[in-house]
Amino acid sequence: MIQNIDTYLVDVPTIRPHRLSVATMNTQTLVLVKVTCGDGIVGWGEATTIGGLNYGEESPESIKTNIDTYIAPLLVGMEASAVAKAMAKIRKTIQGNRFAKCALETALLDAQARRLNVPLSELLGGRVRDALPVAWTLASGDTTKDIAEAEQMLELRRHRIFKLKIGLRDVAADVAHVLAIKRALGDKASVRVDVNQAWTEGDAVRGIAALEAGGIDLIEQPVKATNVAALARLKQRFDVAIMADEALHGPDDAMALARADAADVYAVKITQSGGLLPALEVATVARLAGIELYGGTMLEGGIGTAATAHVCSTFPTLAWDTELFGPLLLTQEVLREPLVYKDFMLQVPTGPGLGVEIDTDKLHAMRRK
């Protein structure tokens, strides 16, 4: 039986300012959900977002309030091992709230996998890989600093895929910044950009033409999420891969984008999808439509990152790798043992459930009172 559901907000400073076109982050607020079951088993989930309400329509505070006030009372008293029934009830009764639903599904699946003494990936069809290549986002906005940071990551054998956050400056300045970094790194690394919806279609045509000519590998969400027609025209016009991110809020969007032939790649995010199982449905739509996959992040801590790693480990193909670097951007850790990054890869945890353990003393010291 589901006995209790607790939600925590944990404010963690970042290692440096993280500049996106929608927000500059100096602190990340982790939203952590704990489900305690009658048999003593505890499951954890995460519903972290980016920049308060700058990125999406759920904020850390609204996620906590909605779980505590509306969603948890629906679940308490239900059979903890009947995860599908519990989630069906929530999805039928609660509108929207994808991030909250994801955290609860993660926690219930974590608890059930612990109950069965198997890794969570085994409840999702089973893993086909034990390690995932991880990109690093260069988002200081300073070309020299970004080049130095990338060189350091290559030397440490931590990352050889780099994503640049652009869209705050005019197109010419952004293109010059990106291409200077690409020239400095050469063939040692894959360089990609994320515009976070900042460009008009005209901006995108000019910017992508220059980036494609300069050897950039992928362009993420160049135009507004709602402008699917523009995204499709850009995909048809350019050879460089176009990736949908903010336009992708679960399986229905995945289907609509596939029908519109609007993207070469899908950024699969468990929170944006509304849960681990809907994220698998997004991946299935992509596979059937010939669209390639990328494991996306909301800059989560260790719990959400581990959950996404379990999901991505089950994908038959993962052509564009992942960006599951969230914990590396944070100055503090809520896990007893941090996730393992080595040889450019994140090692998918192998223990029961998510395969990570919360340091409850640290959590209670760090949580927002």
Side-chain angles (χ1 to χ4, degrees), residues 6-8 30-35 42-48 67 99-111 270-271 276 303-304 307 354 358:
D6 298 293
T7 315
Y8 304 94
L30 307 182
V31 185
L32 306 181
V33 177
K34 176 186 177 186
V35 173
V42 172
W44 287 90
E46 183 169 350
T48 297
I67 290 174
F99 286 59
K101 288 172 180 173
C102 177
L104 287 160
E105 184 174 69
T106 302
L108 290 167
L109 288 169
D110 178 35
I270 58 173
T271 45
L276 279 61
I303 295 170
L354 288 170
I358 288 284

Side-chain angles (χ1 to χ4, degrees), residues 348-359:
V348 183
T350 55
L354 288 170
V356 297
E357 300 298 333
I358 288 284
D359 186 321

Side-chain angles (χ1 to χ4, degrees), residues 161-232:
I161 306 161
F162 298 101
K163 183 166 95 169
L164 278 68
K165 291 288 190 178
I166 61 173
L168 270 176
R169 298 174 284 203
D170 65 67
V171 175
D174 270 338
V175 166
H177 169 66
V178 172
L179 295 186
I181 293 169
K182 177 59 184 170
R183 282 193 299 273
L185 299 179
D187 294 332
K188 291 183 290 184
S190 170
V191 177
R192 306 155 181 195
V193 300
D194 185 1
V195 191
N196 286 120
Q197 312 183 71
W199 285 347
T200 64
E201 188 174 355
D203 287 340
V205 167
R206 290 191 298 279
I208 295 171
L211 293 169
E212 182 177 82
I216 301 309
D217 294 327
L218 177 132
I219 316 290
E220 183 174 353
Q221 201 64 54
V223 293
K224 289 286 183 195
T226 50
N227 198 349
V228 173
L231 200 64

Side-chain angles (χ1 to χ4, degrees), residues 18-291:
H18 193 71
R19 291 185 174 84
L20 300 80
S21 65
V22 294
T24 296
M25 295 170 52
N26 294 288
T27 300
Q28 176 62 307
T29 300
L30 307 182
V31 185
L32 306 181
V33 177
K34 176 186 177 186
V35 173
T36 305
C37 307
D39 57 4
I41 289 174
V42 172
W44 287 90
E46 183 169 350
T48 297
T49 184
I50 292 171
L53 281 170
N54 294 129
Y55 185 91
E57 66 273 23
E58 291 174 76
S59 70
E61 296 77 13
S62 75
I63 293 166
K64 176 172 168 50
T65 297
N66 289 343
I67 290 174
D68 293 349
T69 309
Y70 299 104
I71 309 177
L74 294 173
L75 293 177
V76 170
M78 288 191 75
E79 176 52 55
S81 61
V83 179
K85 276 186 184 173
M87 292 311 300
K89 183 176 184 179
I90 293 177
R91 291 195 171 107
K92 182 179 180 184
T93 311
I94 301 294
Q95 303 305 308
N97 288 276
R98 298 186 311 280
F99 286 59
K101 288 172 180 173
C102 177
L104 287 160
E105 184 174 69
T106 302
L108 290 167
L109 288 169
D110 178 35
Q112 179 64 357
R114 288 174 189 274
R115 197 171 283 117
L116 299 172
N117 199 33
V118 296
L120 197 153
S121 55
E122 300 314 293
L123 300 189
L124 305 176
R127 66 179 65 185
V128 295
R129 54 179 66 80
D130 295 307
L132 305 166
V134 177
W136 178 252
T137 295
L138 299 170
S140 77
D142 181 292
T143 306
T144 307
K145 276 186 189 171
D146 281 354
I147 291 169
E149 195 173 294
E151 295 281 12
Q152 182 190 21
M153 294 302 175
L154 286 165
E155 196 175 316
L156 292 170
R157 293 184 61 79
R158 220 174 70 180
H159 308 278
R160 56 185 167 199
I161 306 161
F162 298 101
K163 183 166 95 169
L164 278 68
K165 291 288 190 178
I166 61 173
L168 270 176
R169 298 174 284 203
D170 65 67
V171 175
D174 270 338
V175 166
H177 169 66
V178 172
L179 295 186
I181 293 169
K182 177 59 184 170
R183 282 193 299 273
L185 299 179
D187 294 332
K188 291 183 290 184
S190 170
V191 177
R192 306 155 181 195
V193 300
D194 185 1
V195 191
N196 286 120
Q197 312 183 71
W199 285 347
T200 64
E201 188 174 355
D203 287 340
V205 167
R206 290 191 298 279
I208 295 171
L211 293 169
E212 182 177 82
I216 301 309
D217 294 327
L218 177 132
I219 316 290
E220 183 174 353
Q221 201 64 54
V223 293
K224 289 286 183 195
T226 50
N227 198 349
V228 173
L231 200 64
R233 285 190 290 270
L234 294 168
K235 177 191 179 289
Q236 309 314 320
R237 182 166 185 155
F238 295 103
D239 291 333
V240 66
I242 304 292
M243 181 158 76
D245 176 17
E246 288 94 335
L248 197 52
H249 290 174
D252 291 344
D253 284 344
M255 194 69 190
L257 288 166
R259 284 199 180 109
D261 195 19
D264 299 292
V265 186
Y266 283 172
V268 181
K269 295 183 175 177
I270 58 173
T271 45
Q272 285 282 51
S273 300
L276 279 61
L277 296 171
L280 292 181
E281 292 177 344
V282 169
T284 299
V285 171
R287 179 173 58 80
L288 296 174
I291 295 162

